[in-house]
Amino acid sequence: MECDYEGPSFRGYFRSPELTPALVATIKRVAPHLDADTSEQFRTIWERDQNGSCRGEYEALAPFLNRLSPKRILEIGPGLGRSLIYFSKALGWHCSLIHAFEGNGDSIRYPILGPRSSDSYCGNITGLKRVLEFNHVKNVTIFDAASYALRALPGPYDLIYSFYSIGFHWAIEYFIEDLLPLIHFETVLVFTTPLNFVSPHQLSDFHHKIIRWRTVTPSKPYLSLLLLSRSKRFLF
Ligand SMILES: C[S@@+](CC[C@H](N)C(=O)[O-])C[C@H]1O[C@@H](n2cnc3c(N)ncnc32)[C@H](O)[C@@H]1O
């Protein structure tokens, strides 16, 4: 596949563009634990927070993701794209096909393992594009939930992941039917989950692995990552 990679000087970390009021409004929705504003000082804080969150996930997942070496990837609910940027650079995904599924919206209600809800979207697709462009991540196609159903995305994918979105705020059992058309036998699915996560019966066709990892959020110092696959090959 043709791709343009910036070369070895391309560093592996999230960078924030100048923070406009629209971006700050989105940060307040997708990362409500931060006291966001348009200052340079907050821009540094946001970069550090986003890189810190990604580093924990990266350290927990790199052994699996390096072996998997996914060529077709879907992130569900990327927010402003921190993981797409960090993982692309840290794991060399610049030649992979990457899809992102996100929706614009003003909602900031965050249940834990709550039911599926049509008004759960709180993203800003224009802002997401801007942050990706600023970080020179060019190989992501964004699918707007207002125009595409999750199950209708052009899979199958080798890796599907979702951090602090489906599987965490909205329980995975409400989405698994939509994910089945998007996977093949060796697809790995990864979700942030609370520490008390118990695998529901809807996942009984999958092998699963739960990794406890350290976050950068003082109120939730540890969380779990749930890895699912129909094949054992990349999980164990
Ligand atoms: C707490 S934010 C997490 C953003 C990002 N994943 C991160 O970890 O920084 C939750 C994200 O999930 C998105 N979202 C909510 N419901 C969704 C759904 N049904 N499908 C895909 N994304 C969804 C929201 O729009 C929002 O961007």
Side-chain angles (χ1 to χ4, degrees):
M1 176 191 161
E2 290 268 325
C3 61
D4 53 354
Y5 176 49
E6 306 273 313
S9 62
F10 197 58
R11 296 222 8 246
Y13 298 103
F14 174 92
R15 296 284 175 265
S16 167
E18 189 180 336
L19 291 173
T20 60
L23 267 185
V24 167
T26 310
I27 295 169
K28 284 177 187 279
R29 294 196 299 272
V30 300
H33 61 289
L34 296 172
D35 195 12
D37 61 42
T38 55
S39 67
E40 274 303 303
Q41 190 190 10
F42 178 73
R43 178 167 147 167
T44 307
I45 292 169
W46 189 47
E47 280 185 349
R48 199 179 306 131
D49 175 88
Q50 299 287 280
N51 281 310
S53 302
C54 292
R55 193 158 42 244
E57 291 152 349
Y58 170 79
E59 283 170 5
L61 294 172
F64 303 96
L65 298 183
N66 277 325
R67 280 204 299 137
L68 180 65
S69 189
K71 298 287 171 279
R72 295 179 57 90
I73 298 162
L74 171 65
E75 178 168 357
I76 300 173
L80 286 171
R82 66 174 181 86
S83 328
L84 290 168
I85 293 161
Y86 193 105
F87 278 30
S88 286
K89 295 180 183 181
L91 292 164
W93 286 354
H94 44 277
C95 283
S96 298
L97 175 144
I98 306 181
H99 290 169
F101 185 69
E102 182 54 273
N104 293 313
D106 298 325
S107 168
I108 50 165
R109 286 181 301 105
Y110 282 133
I112 299 291
L113 300 180
R116 187 169 181 159
S117 123
S118 56
D119 66 352
S120 60
Y121 298 101
C122 63
N124 168 357
I125 290 175
T126 305
L128 170 59
K129 284 184 184 153
R130 181 155 168 256
V131 178
L132 291 174
E133 276 168 22
F134 184 79
N135 283 274
H136 309 284
V137 173
K138 298 171 184 167
N139 57 330
V140 176
T141 304
I142 301 169
F143 290 86
D144 183 342
S147 307
Y148 294 88
L150 179 58
R151 62 182 302 118
L153 295 185
Y157 299 99
D158 305 319
L159 171 68
I160 297 178
Y161 72 95
S162 187
F163 294 150
Y164 301 101
S165 180
I166 73 169
F168 186 80
H169 292 302
W170 304 281
I172 188 62
E173 52 265 40
Y174 301 107
F175 294 89
I176 200 71
E177 284 293 321
D178 280 26
L179 295 175
L180 295 180
L182 308 183
I183 65 174
H184 55 70
F185 182 63
E186 294 196 325
T187 301
V188 174
L189 303 103
V190 181
F191 305 94
T192 321
T193 55
L195 287 175
N196 63 355
F197 174 80
V198 177
S199 190
H201 70 87
Q202 290 90 341
L203 301 184
S204 57
D205 285 349
F206 290 86
H207 298 285
H208 75 266
K209 185 177 190 82
I210 294 178
I211 305 173
R212 189 172 186 262
W213 63 288
R214 191 167 173 80
T215 77
V216 287
T217 311
S219 61
K220 293 191 193 87
Y222 288 93
L223 285 173
S224 295
L225 283 161
L226 169 68
L227 279 66
L228 296 174
S229 181
R230 285 207 154 124
S231 159
K232 285 185 174 176
R233 182 167 169 210
F234 294 109
L235 295 197
F236 301 102

PDB file of all heavy atoms in Angstrom, residues 102-115:
ATOM      1  N   GLU A 102     -17.001   8.078  14.783  1.00  0.00           N
ATOM      2  CA  GLU A 102     -17.248   9.103  15.809  1.00  0.00           C
ATOM      3  C   GLU A 102     -18.499   9.885  15.426  1.00  0.00           C
ATOM      4  O   GLU A 102     -18.936   9.851  14.267  1.00  0.00           O
ATOM      5  CB  GLU A 102     -16.006  10.025  15.887  1.00  0.00           C
ATOM      6  CG  GLU A 102     -16.033  11.130  16.926  1.00  0.00           C
ATOM      7  CD  GLU A 102     -16.313  10.654  18.352  1.00  0.00           C
ATOM      8  OE1 GLU A 102     -17.497  10.558  18.703  1.00  0.00           O
ATOM      9  OE2 GLU A 102     -15.369  10.400  19.125  1.00  0.00           O
ATOM     10  N   GLY A 103     -19.092  10.574  16.376  1.00  0.00           N
ATOM     11  CA  GLY A 103     -20.269  11.397  16.111  1.00  0.00           C
ATOM     12  C   GLY A 103     -20.137  12.755  16.769  1.00  0.00           C
ATOM     13  O   GLY A 103     -19.549  12.877  17.845  1.00  0.00           O
ATOM     14  N   ASN A 104     -20.658  13.781  16.109  1.00  0.00           N
ATOM     15  CA  ASN A 104     -20.718  15.109  16.719  1.00  0.00           C
ATOM     16  C   ASN A 104     -21.826  15.123  17.759  1.00  0.00           C
ATOM     17  O   ASN A 104     -22.852  14.446  17.583  1.00  0.00           O
ATOM     18  CB  ASN A 104     -21.057  16.164  15.658  1.00  0.00           C
ATOM     19  CG  ASN A 104     -19.951  16.331  14.647  1.00  0.00           C
ATOM     20  OD1 ASN A 104     -18.777  16.442  15.007  1.00  0.00           O
ATOM     21  ND2 ASN A 104     -20.299  16.343  13.366  1.00  0.00           N
ATOM     22  N   GLY A 105     -21.638  15.889  18.815  1.00  0.00           N
ATOM     23  CA  GLY A 105     -22.733  15.989  19.786  1.00  0.00           C
ATOM     24  C   GLY A 105     -22.355  16.765  21.019  1.00  0.00           C
ATOM     25  O   GLY A 105     -21.179  17.004  21.281  1.00  0.00           O
ATOM     26  N   ASP A 106     -23.370  17.152  21.762  1.00  0.00           N
ATOM     27  CA  ASP A 106     -23.162  17.969  22.962  1.00  0.00           C
ATOM     28  C   ASP A 106     -23.302  17.177  24.246  1.00  0.00           C
ATOM     29  O   ASP A 106     -23.153  17.722  25.328  1.00  0.00           O
ATOM     30  CB  ASP A 106     -24.206  19.098  23.006  1.00  0.00           C
ATOM     31  CG  ASP A 106     -24.043  20.011  21.822  1.00  0.00           C
ATOM     32  OD1 ASP A 106     -22.887  20.215  21.412  1.00  0.00           O
ATOM     33  OD2 ASP A 106     -25.062  20.504  21.302  1.00  0.00           O
ATOM     34  N   SER A 107     -23.597  15.876  24.138  1.00  0.00           N
ATOM     35  CA  SER A 107     -23.883  15.094  25.339  1.00  0.00           C
ATOM     36  C   SER A 107     -22.642  14.945  26.210  1.00  0.00           C
ATOM     37  O   SER A 107     -21.541  14.736  25.702  1.00  0.00           O
ATOM     38  CB  SER A 107     -24.389  13.707  24.918  1.00  0.00           C
ATOM     39  OG  SER A 107     -24.416  12.867  26.022  1.00  0.00           O
ATOM     40  N   ILE A 108     -22.784  15.074  27.516  1.00  0.00           N
ATOM     41  CA  ILE A 108     -21.662  14.759  28.403  1.00  0.00           C
ATOM     42  C   ILE A 108     -22.103  13.844  29.549  1.00  0.00           C
ATOM     43  O   ILE A 108     -21.511  13.824  30.601  1.00  0.00           O
ATOM     44  CB  ILE A 108     -20.953  16.014  28.990  1.00  0.00           C
ATOM     45  CG1 ILE A 108     -21.973  16.966  29.582  1.00  0.00           C
ATOM     46  CG2 ILE A 108     -20.061  16.670  27.985  1.00  0.00           C
ATOM     47  CD1 ILE A 108     -21.338  18.014  30.473  1.00  0.00           C
ATOM     48  N   ARG A 109     -23.162  13.091  29.323  1.00  0.00           N
ATOM     49  CA  ARG A 109     -23.567  12.127  30.352  1.00  0.00           C
ATOM     50  C   ARG A 109     -22.711  10.889  30.196  1.00  0.00           C
ATOM     51  O   ARG A 109     -22.641  10.316  29.120  1.00  0.00           O
ATOM     52  CB  ARG A 109     -25.042  11.745  30.188  1.00  0.00           C
ATOM     53  CG  ARG A 109     -26.002  12.826  30.628  1.00  0.00           C
ATOM     54  CD  ARG A 109     -27.451  12.378  30.456  1.00  0.00           C
ATOM     55  NE  ARG A 109     -27.774  12.036  29.077  1.00  0.00           N
ATOM     56  CZ  ARG A 109     -27.916  10.806  28.614  1.00  0.00           C
ATOM     57  NH1 ARG A 109     -27.783   9.772  29.427  1.00  0.00           N
ATOM     58  NH2 ARG A 109     -28.193  10.579  27.349  1.00  0.00           N
ATOM     59  N   TYR A 110     -22.004  10.498  31.246  1.00  0.00           N
ATOM     60  CA  TYR A 110     -21.135   9.328  31.144  1.00  0.00           C
ATOM     61  C   TYR A 110     -21.522   8.275  32.175  1.00  0.00           C
ATOM     62  O   TYR A 110     -21.034   8.302  33.305  1.00  0.00           O
ATOM     63  CB  TYR A 110     -19.677   9.727  31.358  1.00  0.00           C
ATOM     64  CG  TYR A 110     -19.020  10.377  30.162  1.00  0.00           C
ATOM     65  CD1 TYR A 110     -18.274  11.534  30.322  1.00  0.00           C
ATOM     66  CD2 TYR A 110     -19.115   9.819  28.892  1.00  0.00           C
ATOM     67  CE1 TYR A 110     -17.644  12.128  29.233  1.00  0.00           C
ATOM     68  CE2 TYR A 110     -18.494  10.399  27.803  1.00  0.00           C
ATOM     69  CZ  TYR A 110     -17.766  11.546  27.985  1.00  0.00           C
ATOM     70  OH  TYR A 110     -17.148  12.118  26.911  1.00  0.00           O
ATOM     71  N   PRO A 111     -22.383   7.336  31.790  1.00  0.00           N
ATOM     72  CA  PRO A 111     -22.625   6.209  32.706  1.00  0.00           C
ATOM     73  C   PRO A 111     -21.401   5.311  32.708  1.00  0.00           C
ATOM     74  O   PRO A 111     -20.496   5.467  31.890  1.00  0.00           O
ATOM     75  CB  PRO A 111     -23.805   5.490  32.048  1.00  0.00           C
ATOM     76  CG  PRO A 111     -23.682   5.819  30.592  1.00  0.00           C
ATOM     77  CD  PRO A 111     -23.050   7.188  30.504  1.00  0.00           C
ATOM     78  N   ILE A 112     -21.323   4.382  33.643  1.00  0.00           N
ATOM     79  CA  ILE A 112     -20.312   3.320  33.592  1.00  0.00           C
ATOM     80  C   ILE A 112     -21.069   2.032  33.260  1.00  0.00           C
ATOM     81  O   ILE A 112     -22.012   1.663  33.969  1.00  0.00           O
ATOM     82  CB  ILE A 112     -19.563   3.178  34.941  1.00  0.00           C
ATOM     83  CG1 ILE A 112     -18.826   4.469  35.296  1.00  0.00           C
ATOM     84  CG2 ILE A 112     -18.582   1.997  34.896  1.00  0.00           C
ATOM     85  CD1 ILE A 112     -17.640   4.826  34.429  1.00  0.00           C
ATOM     86  N   LEU A 113     -20.664   1.395  32.163  1.00  0.00           N
ATOM     87  CA  LEU A 113     -21.318   0.184  31.659  1.00  0.00           C
ATOM     88  C   LEU A 113     -22.833   0.387  31.497  1.00  0.00           C
ATOM     89  O   LEU A 113     -23.624  -0.492  31.815  1.00  0.00           O
ATOM     90  CB  LEU A 113     -21.020  -1.024  32.573  1.00  0.00           C
ATOM     91  CG  LEU A 113     -19.538  -1.392  32.709  1.00  0.00           C
ATOM     92  CD1 LEU A 113     -19.369  -2.596  33.647  1.00  0.00           C
ATOM     93  CD2 LEU A 113     -18.905  -1.710  31.350  1.00  0.00           C
ATOM     94  N   GLY A 114     -23.207   1.564  31.017  1.00  0.00           N
ATOM     95  CA  GLY A 114     -24.621   1.888  30.838  1.00  0.00           C
ATOM     96  C   GLY A 114     -25.176   1.289  29.557  1.00  0.00           C
ATOM     97  O   GLY A 114     -24.453   0.661  28.778  1.00  0.00           O
ATOM     98  N   PRO A 115     -26.479   1.490  29.323  1.00  0.00           N
ATOM     99  CA  PRO A 115     -27.104   0.972  28.107  1.00  0.00           C
ATOM    100  C   PRO A 115     -26.700   1.799  26.884  1.00  0.00           C
ATOM    101  O   PRO A 115     -26.260   2.937  27.013  1.00  0.00           O
ATOM    102  CB  PRO A 115     -28.601   1.134  28.387  1.00  0.00           C
ATOM    103  CG  PRO A 115     -28.678   2.240  29.382  1.00  0.00           C
ATOM    104  CD  PRO A 115     -27.425   2.184  30.201  1.00  0.00           C
TER     105      PRO A 115
END
